[in-house]
Amino acid sequence: MRFLSFFVLFIVLLGCSNNETLDENDPDEINVFINRQSTGSSANDILSDTTFKGLIVELVYVEGYEPRQTSVDNFISFLADRIYKPSGITVSKRALPSTGKSTYSIEDIADIERAQRQFYNTSNTIAVWAYFTDGKSDKDTQENVVLGTAYWNTSFVIYEETLRTMSNSPLEPSRTVLETTVINHELGHILGLTNLGTPMQNNHEDPEHEHHCNDENCLMYWASEFAVGLGNMTAVPQLDMQCLEDLKANGGK
């Protein structure tokens, strides 16, 4: 197995702004729209080192809703185990004030990203945006509560306030286990699982839950991103062999 050396840097960058007007005469101008494509469409770019040798994760959270450091470490380990990035994996971590909203649509989340995102793809590095928000998803129902959503090719949101209400009690999973599970699950969608940009080597998509694995013990089982059956979760689910085979066939480890 190929060895990937990786490092984690926690930095605070202030004063950056996003310019969405491209200057065709400026070769260094960053095209922000490359990071606003369909979920799973950049799976091979993230998994392989064909185009991008490094990866930066822009981890942004609402003040007071920072994920646990162990959860972040687990996420980076999950990435390092699956992708080829010889230049390493970097994390840029910072806080934002709350918008004051109690419920968020995906368009609300996307608007926050448009205003606040600082890192986009460069010639050698691919960038991922991970946002941990207060408030809840507008897709919540009495039956299902949304804990996370991958919504663009390099973007996902974790509903951290909701997640905290579902963890750390005697009949619930620990916060670290639940955070790690939901973060890794949403990253799995960005990596094209299941049947979402990374071709399946064998048919294992759940016919009742699109783009989720049919193995209930797999990380990509649909319940991992909803508050369903959490009382039995004592450890972070892993990818099953079929999901692993899919990632390897699309350029990953």
Side-chain angles (χ1 to χ4, degrees), residues 1 21 64 70 96 214 220:
M1 180 177 292
T21 302
T70 303
L96 292 177
N214 60 12
M220 298 312 296

Side-chain angles (χ1 to χ4, degrees), residues 25-199:
N25 297 317
D26 184 355
D28 296 323
E29 186 73 42
I30 293 175
N31 184 353
V32 300
F33 301 104
I34 291 176
N35 292 93
R36 297 178 188 170
Q37 306 302 310
S38 60
T39 305
S41 62
S42 293
N44 178 261
D45 286 336
I46 298 173
L47 289 165
S48 74
D49 61 359
T50 303
T51 301
F52 300 102
K53 309 303 181 185
L55 182 145
I56 183 166
V57 178
E58 186 173 359
L59 194 158
V60 181
Y61 57 91
V62 173
E63 292 173 348
Y65 291 92
E66 179 179 1
R68 289 189 168 175
Q69 185 56 50
T70 303
S71 304
V72 177
D73 293 342
N74 292 341
F75 171 50
I76 298 304
S77 294
F78 176 79
L79 269 170
D81 287 344
R82 302 275 69 86
I83 71 175
Y84 289 112
K85 287 292 174 276
S87 295
I89 300 170
T90 304
V91 175
S92 170
K93 187 177 180 183
R94 63 193 171 93
L96 292 177
S98 173
T99 66
K101 295 175 67 70
S102 60
T103 303
Y104 292 88
S105 67
I106 282 298
E107 187 58 34
D108 292 332
I109 298 298
D111 283 343
I112 293 170
E113 177 178 348
R114 291 184 184 102
Q116 299 293 340
R117 183 164 178 164
Q118 296 177 348
F119 293 95
Y120 294 89
N121 295 359
T122 64
S123 59
N124 294 312
T125 302
I126 191 166
V128 170
W129 160 274
Y131 181 59
F132 295 74
T133 190
D134 57 351
K136 62 181 182 179
S137 168
D138 69 344
K139 301 299 183 185
D140 285 359
T141 67
Q142 291 185 340
E143 293 76 25
N144 293 323
V145 176
V146 180
L147 299 179
T149 304
Y151 56 96
W152 276 332
N153 56 326
T154 60
S155 305
F156 68 91
V157 58
I158 304 298
Y159 296 97
E160 180 70 15
E161 182 176 23
T162 301
L163 188 150
R164 293 187 181 190
T165 68
M166 301 292 175
S167 59
N168 271 13
S169 80
L171 298 178
E172 295 172 338
S174 74
R175 185 172 302 158
T176 298
V177 166
L178 189 55
E179 278 182 342
T180 303
T181 298
V182 181
I183 295 169
N184 290 357
H185 180 96
E186 299 312 324
L187 191 277
H189 285 314
I190 287 176
L191 296 180
L193 298 173
T194 301
N195 196 26
L196 188 63
T198 289

